[in-house]
Amino acid sequence: MIIGTIVNGVVIDHIPAGRGMELYSKMKLDRLECEVALIKNAPSGKCGKKDILKVNEEIKINYEILGYIDPRITVNIIKDGQRVQKMHPALPETLIDVIFCRNPRCITSVEQEISHVFRLTDREHGVYRCVYCDAQADKKEK
Amino acid sequence: MRSLIDILDLSKEEIDDLIGTACDIMDHPEQYSEICKGKKLATLFYEPSTRTRLSFEAAMYELGGNCLGFSEANSSSAAKGESVSDTAIIVSNYADIIAMRHPKEGAPLVASMKATVPIINAGDGGHNHPTQTLTDLLTIYKECGTFDNLTVGLCGDLKFGRTVHSLIAALSRYTNVKFILISPDELKVPDYVKDQYLDPKNIEYSETEDLEAVIPELDILYMTRVQRERFFNEADYIRLKNRYILTPQKLVSAKKTMKILHPLPRVNEISVSVDDDPRAVYFRQTLYGKFIRMALILKLLEVQ
């Protein structure tokens, strides 16, 4: 399968296989006018299979989302057809409107305009808790 | 401008200062009787309460201030769908400080993000109740004279009992405090409380269903009510509500110096025949609650 190389833009690599579409949605890449490629289940030496996102435009990267999905994701910044920067997103301290509180007792369940804010409370185990009710983020979302 | 949303918003030193102020108010009430003249406290209570709301109002009146507010959501604009944020902005125009109780967890935090006056969390669902914790701490201090080296038994609904979670958080900052968590399996302390406050500091605690087996060890027995309003399933409530009932017989093996606390209201978890036992301090606890709220109002209003 051949996807053309990009000139100026971003390659988000080493996305856990099957989570590329989720990342595509959370990063709102559907709103871009430029070429965007989602490659699913690409072979990977490191993890067997992976997803890759290629965006043929310089975009503002939301590292919070990438770090939350998997800190092993790599972000490659491409300029004039060359990779000029490679980064690993860290596990973010705070997530705002990336994941949503499922606790029916939480104020966010009734007041729709409030941002859903989660704070990293256990870096070792990647545990996030809602700042309003302390409910732990649903692991199934990870 | 400070708000009090979680007991851990206050440092250990600030709590010690509040307790000191409360003790001074108890000793010299006349020196504080006009100190908040011209100030207003708004009590925004979206769910029923007797002690908390009345003690806040009594506290403000005894400081020379005034009170306004509502005691149920149906008598406020919440019934028309007004958000907590909007209510907080509006009430900030009418009062100098707000005490808020709300059935939804995190509502006072949301209010504090928009209000231009201090917000006091007077209980948010099953989550936090910091002024009850301050009340409990003042009670322990006045009745035991220390926070250190105590074995504290917490009994009953430790899952939904917000006062329990806040008390564990607060006491975990003192030296050599040991917790014995007494509850049925369905109402155990949530993992996050243990993960956040007990395990990181290697604080000694044990979990049991058997109150009588551990009562001889306790310096403090903190009883709680199984809260009907926190259950989605009535059958579960009925099954668990009579699990622990403290009677004079169960107190026979307890220390003579043990103190029995309860955030109240009680239903039947402490027999009325225990009320005259000198170890029962739960009615005095409500009086301490007024004095610590007076101290808190002074602190948040920055009244010298």
Side-chain angles (χ1 to χ4, degrees):
Chain A
M1 183 177 174
I2 299 167
I3 305 277
T5 51
I6 58 176
V7 181
N8 290 301
V10 181
V11 177
I12 302 171
D13 201 355
H14 298 106
I15 303 166
R19 302 203 66 182
M21 184 54 83
E22 181 190 348
L23 203 52
Y24 178 89
S25 302
K26 284 189 187 294
M27 293 181 75
K28 300 183 172 62
L29 299 182
D30 56 318
R31 296 182 187 178
L32 296 176
E33 297 286 333
C34 66
E35 294 166 279
V36 178
L38 166 60
I39 303 160
K40 291 187 68 173
N41 300 322
S44 164
K46 256 197 258 180
C47 39
K49 284 195 290 186
K50 63 181 180 180
D51 289 359
I52 304 169
L53 274 165
K54 291 188 172 189
V55 182
N56 201 12
E57 188 176 277
E58 290 178 29
I59 58 166
K60 191 166 180 265
I61 303 282
N62 185 334
Y63 288 96
E64 284 184 1
I65 296 173
L66 297 178
Y68 178 69
I69 295 274
D70 195 326
R72 290 169 298 182
I73 288 173
T74 53
V75 179
N76 302 283
I77 308 294
I78 311 295
K79 282 199 175 150
D80 300 325
Q82 300 294 315
R83 185 173 76 188
V84 293
Q85 204 174 4
K86 180 177 180 179
M87 289 172 286
H88 286 279
L91 211 54
E93 286 293 328
T94 308
L95 293 168
I96 300 172
D97 290 333
V98 174
I99 48 176
F100 297 91
C101 188
R102 309 275 187 224
N103 177 7
R105 297 182 179 89
C106 182
I107 186 68
T108 54
S109 69
V110 289
E111 299 219 348
Q112 306 300 323
E113 80 286 1
I114 300 171
S115 287
H116 287 240
V117 183
F118 281 76
R119 191 169 294 138
L120 182 63
T121 57
D122 181 347
R123 182 168 289 278
E124 187 185 347
H125 299 102
V127 175
Y128 284 87
R129 293 190 182 280
C130 173
V131 297
Y132 303 106
C133 69
D134 281 313
Q136 187 170 335
D138 191 346
K139 288 278 185 190
K140 286 178 210 155
E141 272 200 76
K142 283 208 75 174
Chain B
M1 184 195 75
R2 287 277 304 268
S3 289
L4 177 62
I5 305 302
D6 185 312
I7 190 66
L8 296 181
D9 293 343
L10 296 169
S11 68
K12 188 166 168 261
E13 291 71 28
E14 286 177 311
I15 288 176
D16 291 342
D17 282 349
L18 282 172
I19 287 173
T21 304
C23 292
D24 195 55
I25 294 169
M26 292 172 79
D27 293 340
H28 309 287
E30 69 288 348
Q31 291 179 11
Y32 294 87
S33 63
E34 299 283 323
I35 202 167
C36 282
K37 194 170 180 182
K39 303 281 188 188
K40 283 174 285 185
L41 165 74
T43 50
L44 310 185
F45 276 61
Y46 292 80
E47 67 175 7
S49 158
T50 306
R51 269 150 309 284
T52 306
R53 184 172 61 82
L54 294 184
S55 74
F56 265 114
E57 292 179 358
M60 194 54 168
Y61 285 127
E62 290 195 24
L63 292 168
N66 279 300
C67 303
L68 65 162
F70 52 82
S71 57
E72 54 176 329
N74 288 339
S75 61
S76 77
S77 285
K80 300 174 192 165
E82 184 171 78
S83 69
V84 166
S85 302
D86 285 359
T87 303
I89 293 167
I90 292 157
V91 177
S92 295
N93 294 327
Y94 304 143
D96 301 285
I97 188 166
I98 295 170
M100 174 183 282
R101 167 166 291 189
H102 199 285
K104 290 293 179 185
E105 299 173 6
L109 175 61
V110 170
S112 73
M113 292 168 169
K114 295 288 184 179
T116 54
V117 299
I119 298 281
I120 301 172
N121 181 359
D124 58 337
H127 188 219
N128 279 320
H129 194 355
T131 62
Q132 181 63 49
T133 307
L134 289 172
T135 301
D136 299 339
L137 292 173
L138 179 60
T139 305
I140 292 168
Y141 182 77
K142 291 293 285 184
E143 300 290 338
C144 301
T146 181
F147 296 117
D148 299 329
N149 306 309
L150 295 174
T151 298
V152 181
L154 300 153
C155 179
D157 174 6
L158 308 188
K159 180 179 182 183
F160 299 116
R162 58 192 164 200
T163 61
V164 168
H165 307 162
S166 299
L167 186 58
I168 290 172
L171 284 175
S172 69
R173 299 196 284 194
Y174 292 91
T175 306
N176 196 30
V177 175
K178 177 184 172 187
F179 294 97
I180 300 181
L181 310 172
I182 308 149
S183 70
D185 196 48
E186 299 90 332
L187 296 176
K188 282 167 72 172
V189 169
D191 286 342
Y192 82 85
V193 175
K194 291 180 266 185
D195 291 347
Q196 285 186 33
Y197 308 124
L198 300 178
D199 294 334
K201 297 178 192 168
N202 290 320
I203 292 171
E204 187 178 348
Y205 71 92
S206 59
E207 295 182 285
T208 179
E209 296 192 17
D210 189 348
L211 170 62
E212 285 169 273
V214 296
I215 205 167
E217 298 176 49
L218 305 179
D219 298 305
I220 291 168
L221 173 58
Y222 192 92
M223 295 294 296
T224 62
R225 172 174 65 100
V226 176
Q227 301 177 80
R228 173 181 242 144
E229 63 270 29
R230 305 289 173 224
F231 284 85
F232 288 127
N233 182 339
E234 180 75 4
D236 285 344
Y237 166 71
I238 289 167
R239 184 166 53 82
L240 295 167
K241 72 184 175 74
N242 294 328
R243 187 64 184 270
Y244 298 105
I245 298 174
L246 188 65
T247 60
Q249 292 72 35
K250 288 181 183 166
L251 283 168
V252 167
S253 59
K255 292 178 188 171
K256 297 292 178 207
T257 54
M258 188 186 80
K259 304 296 177 190
I260 306 162
L261 280 70
H262 191 303
L264 301 180
R266 70 172 160 189
V267 179
N268 63 347
E269 60 277 5
I270 300 179
S271 162
V272 291
S273 54
V274 172
D275 293 355
D276 293 329
D277 189 301
R279 293 169 286 193
V281 300
Y282 35 86
F283 290 124
R284 280 206 295 283
Q285 196 176 347
T286 60
L287 180 62
Y288 295 132
K290 180 185 70 177
F291 291 114
I292 199 72
R293 288 182 176 98
M294 290 170 78
L296 179 65
I297 289 169
L298 291 179
K299 179 179 177 62
L300 297 183
L301 286 177
E302 299 177 0
V303 175
Q304 299 299 319

